[in-house]
Amino acid sequence: MHLVGIAKAAAASSLLEAKRKVDYRELATQKWINRVPAGRHSFDWSINPYRGCEMACAYCYARYTHEFMELREPTDFETRIFAKQWNAPAFRTELAAILRSEAIALGTATDPYQAAERRFQLTRKILTEFARDAGRRIWITTKSDLPARDLDLLEAVSRRHILLVNFTITTLDAQLARQWEPGAPRPDLRLRALQQLSARGIACGVIASPIAPQLNDDEADLLRLAQAAKQAGARWFGGGSLFLKSPTKEVFFSFLAQQHLDLLPSYAAQFGTHARLSPQQQQTIEVRLERIRQATQLSRKAVWSVPEEFESGRQLALFE
């Protein structure tokens, strides 16, 4: 097979480390910061330090991206992890070309704080570069407790930028979390990390995505999650309904067959020919979330304020 582009780079990647179930490889990259389609998101640019994600969430919508590298086995996404080859000068050049009015999101396809980050620290290197800069809007989305490792650095970034951290927590039920996001830290550990960041003045919220029928859509359970988020210092709470397209649909149906066989027929009926719930079902979920937000006085959207040193360069010396 003649390989081109990202598939060629993946085939040529060098092995960095191998664990019992996971291979880590170094991936050459021509671009660190990528433009996202206009109008579809609340941010303009995305950064994903890793391709693939060891958290192995059964519902992960990004699984299809491994197919661009001609990796098509169902488990490739969580067992073949690519760490991008770090190049600080190239990153700085890309960052300098981006308007400060445009928001940058870290972790839009794969988690920037997945297990690989403990070894390769690419997210930490990116944050260090942000700490040299000022005056930007930065989103981080994660399903990990590892941001607590970078607490001092995140606090420094938050003094110079508008920094918003989304913790994805789908449920407080540790058993369900272990079933459908087996490589992610427990929900209580994520809440503890949120509390640590929030206590240092970093704006945080909780996203309960995806919300899946008869699994984590019970209003009382979602209310308890929102209350726990509020107690930990979250400023906003939201969620989106389950989205299933190939190959995620096949992986998710396999999860149901193994863990929730009784739900498989209803899911086959709802998602057999559609990737989303019906508009009416989605509206029901949104109304449910709005009631929960009213009860907990959490915002629907991210709550932020302009930091004192938003335009300042006084902290540069700390990172020289």
Side-chain angles (χ1 to χ4, degrees), residues 1-65:
M1 180 185 298
H2 178 64
L3 301 177
V4 296
I6 189 67
K8 183 177 180 180
S13 62
S14 58
L15 182 67
L16 293 172
E17 184 179 344
K19 298 200 303 185
R20 186 168 62 90
K21 293 184 178 181
V22 181
D23 283 351
Y24 295 115
R25 293 182 175 270
E26 185 176 56
L27 182 67
T29 183
Q30 295 182 339
K31 195 167 181 59
W32 275 90
I33 311 174
N34 296 283
R35 171 72 77 175
V36 300
R40 290 178 56 183
H41 303 282
S42 54
F43 48 86
D44 306 284
W45 299 87
S46 69
I47 303 173
N48 290 288
Y50 304 96
R51 294 187 73 98
C53 185
E54 201 173 340
M55 291 187 179
C57 301
Y59 50 74
C60 180
Y61 63 87
R63 287 179 174 274
Y64 75 95
T65 59

Side-chain angles (χ1 to χ4, degrees), residues 56-133:
C57 301
Y59 50 74
C60 180
Y61 63 87
R63 287 179 174 274
Y64 75 95
T65 59
H66 255 39
E67 295 181 355
F68 299 150
M69 299 183 290
E70 298 298 333
L71 297 174
R72 300 179 182 277
E73 290 297 319
T75 59
D76 280 342
F77 187 76
E78 60 253 29
T79 60
R80 304 282 295 277
I81 309 299
F82 294 85
K84 293 183 179 179
Q85 191 175 70
W86 179 242
N87 185 326
F91 183 88
R92 291 173 199 152
T93 299
E94 289 184 42
L95 185 61
I98 294 175
L99 297 175
R100 295 182 188 277
S101 59
E102 297 180 326
I104 302 172
L106 184 58
T108 59
T110 57
D111 201 298
Y113 278 110
Q114 61 178 285
E117 172 62 16
R118 297 185 186 276
R119 292 164 172 77
F120 309 119
Q121 299 191 26
L122 292 177
T123 296
R124 185 169 179 84
K125 291 172 183 176
I126 290 167
L127 291 175
T128 300
E129 294 303 323
F130 279 133
R132 298 176 183 271
D133 196 15

Side-chain angles (χ1 to χ4, degrees), residues 4 7 28 35 38 48 51 69 82 95 102 107 118 120 167 179 200 207 209 215 231 247 262 267 313-314 319:
V4 296
R35 171 72 77 175
N48 290 288
R51 294 187 73 98
M69 299 183 290
F82 294 85
L95 185 61
E102 297 180 326
R118 297 185 186 276
F120 309 119
F167 283 88
Q179 290 173 350
R200 301 284 278 269
I207 306 299
S209 289
L215 285 169
Q231 186 175 8
D262 58 315
Y267 270 82
R314 285 180 289 163
F319 298 91

